[in-house]
């Protein structure tokens, strides 16, 4: 087990099979830099999902198709004192009748005050002069290469992860991804200093980051991304329409409860029916994201 510092010189706008930029062993820790998509203009973001520049791919020794790559998010540190977002609300979250009154797309800059632990608009809109939410770093887009030589734009997501924009992919969380190619070929990027559920303006507070993650290869198979925090376990479904994403996440959670907690389908339904929570990840990009989450206090491992 070792810690490696990698400085990228190129970035990718797709997650797929590509020449690895660096190799790590099972158990190793990676510290690397990510950048945001600040070069795109407002018109491009308004008419199409933007690509997210990814750092990677990283080859993880011992990861083989059928395995699971566990990625513990150790630290996410903004490397700039500013970030940016767009307004107004995305077309996908508005009633069709409200779209005609939607104002033009506008790009704004936020100050990231690490000492105060807050973010604040440089030029506040009326009524937001004192608005200063807490910094809450998260990874918007990360995952592993899909099977069959495929490559997915970093504007979307699938079974291999991708642009999920789920707020619980934050420091302290361990994310699990199904491995489909030798070495897993792991990518990460799209760091947000703060974001509400859904990424409903098409952006979190986008900025560059130094990220630290630790890898573990698990000799088990999963179908969709999973995650674990100190308090919860969750499964992620990525699809469109939204109900299909929910179905993927729910089915994966039912499987997990059987595999690790000894609950058959009927017992899992009793538990999930009363204590499950659903979180909305990305609802802006081509595939939507839903997380099916259960508090660990209801669970006993077997």
């Amino acid at each position: 087990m070792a810690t490696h510092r990698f400085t990228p010189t190129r970035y990718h706008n797709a997650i797929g099979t590509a020449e690895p930029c660096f190799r790590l062993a099972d158990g190793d820790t990676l510290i690397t830099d990510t950048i945001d998509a600040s070069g795109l203009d407002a018109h491009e973001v308004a008419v199409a999902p933007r690509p997210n520049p990814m750092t990677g791919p990283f080859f993880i020794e011992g990861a083989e198709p059928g395995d699971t790559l566990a990625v513990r998010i150790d630290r996410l540190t903004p490397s700039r004192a500013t970030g940016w977002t767009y307004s107004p609300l995305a077309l996908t979250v508005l009633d069709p009748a409200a779209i005609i009154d939607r104002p033009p797309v506008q790009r704004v800059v936020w100050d990231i005050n690490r000492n105060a632990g807050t973010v604040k608009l440089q030029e506040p809109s009326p009524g937001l002069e004192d608005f200063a939410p807490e910094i809450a770093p998260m990874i918007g887009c990360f995952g592993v290469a899909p099977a069959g030589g495929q490559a997915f734009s970093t504007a979307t997501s699938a079974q291999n992860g991708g642009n999920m924009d789920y707020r619980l992919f934050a420091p302290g969380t361990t994310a699990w991804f199904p491995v489909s190619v030798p070495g897993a070929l792991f990518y990460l990027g799209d760091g947000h200093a703060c974001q509400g559920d859904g990424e409903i303006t098409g952006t979190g507070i986008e900025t560059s980051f130094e990220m630290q993650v630790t890898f573990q290869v698990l000799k088990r198979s999963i179908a969709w991304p999973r995650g674990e925090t100190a308090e919860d376990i969750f499964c992620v479904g990525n699809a469109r329409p939204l109900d299909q994403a929910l179905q993927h996440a729910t089915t994966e959670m039912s499987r997990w409860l059987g595999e690790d907690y000894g609950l058959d389908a009927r017992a899992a339904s009793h538990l999930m029916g009363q204590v499950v929570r659903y979180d909305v990840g990305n609802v802006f990009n081509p595939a939507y994201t839903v997380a099916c989450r259960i508090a660990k206090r209801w669970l006993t491992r077997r």
Side-chain angles (χ1 to χ4, degrees):
M1 298 180 184
T3 298
H4 305 273
R5 180 68 172 86
F6 175 77
T7 301
T9 57
R10 60 188 175 96
Y11 301 90
H12 298 266
N13 292 128
I15 296 178
T17 303
E19 184 67 24
C21 66
F22 197 77
R23 289 176 175 257
L24 300 103
D26 182 9
D28 281 359
T29 295
L30 169 71
I31 301 172
T32 192
D33 302 309
T34 65
I35 60 172
D36 57 282
S38 56
L40 301 181
D41 62 27
H43 175 72
E44 185 173 356
V45 172
V47 300
R50 72 193 190 288
N52 297 298
M54 293 287 104
T55 301
F58 296 95
F59 188 101
I60 313 302
E61 302 286 352
E64 297 292 341
D67 293 343
T68 293
L69 181 66
V71 182
R72 188 182 71 219
I73 304 170
D74 299 319
R75 177 173 58 85
L76 304 175
T77 304
S79 52
R80 289 207 318 265
T82 61
W84 56 274
T85 61
Y86 281 102
S87 67
L89 294 173
L91 301 176
T92 52
V93 301
L94 291 172
D95 286 333
I99 291 174
I100 193 171
D101 298 320
R102 182 174 178 261
V105 173
Q106 181 184 64
R107 186 180 188 272
V108 296
V109 177
W110 298 71
D111 288 323
I112 301 171
N113 188 331
R114 288 173 58 185
N115 290 329
T118 59
V119 292
K120 192 169 185 178
L121 284 162
Q122 284 191 348
E123 299 180 7
S125 301
L128 296 182
E129 292 84 0
D130 297 321
F131 179 58
E134 295 180 356
I135 296 173
M138 55 168 283
I139 303 179
C141 185
F142 67 147
V144 296
Q150 300 177 79
F152 290 114
S153 166
T154 58
T156 193
S157 57
Q159 287 178 269
N160 60 308
N163 192 36
M164 298 173 285
D165 291 305
Y166 179 41
R167 291 192 305 110
L168 284 193
F169 286 132
T173 295
T174 297
W176 294 6
F177 297 101
V179 176
S180 298
V181 300
L185 297 181
F186 174 78
Y187 298 75
L188 79 170
D190 190 29
H192 299 168
C194 184
Q195 181 207 287
D197 287 339
E199 199 187 43
I200 61 173
T201 66
T203 54
I205 297 182
E206 312 281 336
T207 193
S208 299
F209 272 83
E210 180 179 88
M211 298 187 177
Q212 178 176 322
V213 296
T214 299
F215 301 102
Q216 182 182 8
V217 177
L218 307 177
K219 294 300 178 179
R220 61 180 299 169
S221 295
I222 62 175
W224 288 90
R226 298 181 183 180
E228 183 173 1
T229 71
E231 295 82 22
D232 302 292
I233 64 169
F234 61 85
C235 298
V236 171
N238 301 307
R240 194 163 183 171
L242 195 67
D243 61 346
Q244 188 176 350
L246 184 146
Q247 290 162 7
H248 293 321
T250 305
T251 303
E252 187 73 5
M253 179 60 79
S254 182
R255 290 190 189 117
W256 196 357
L257 294 178
E259 292 164 358
D260 287 11
Y261 301 96
L263 302 182
D264 64 16
R266 192 175 304 280
S269 72
H270 287 316
L271 185 143
M272 293 173 69
Q274 308 313 314
V275 302
V276 77
R277 299 291 182 264
Y278 287 104
D279 301 328
V280 176
N282 191 298
V283 290
F284 173 74
N285 292 116
Y288 294 159
T289 295
V290 172
C292 178
R293 178 170 52 88
I294 292 178
K296 288 180 178 178
R297 67 191 181 96
W298 303 114
L299 304 173
T300 301
R301 285 190 182 272
R302 295 190 181 181

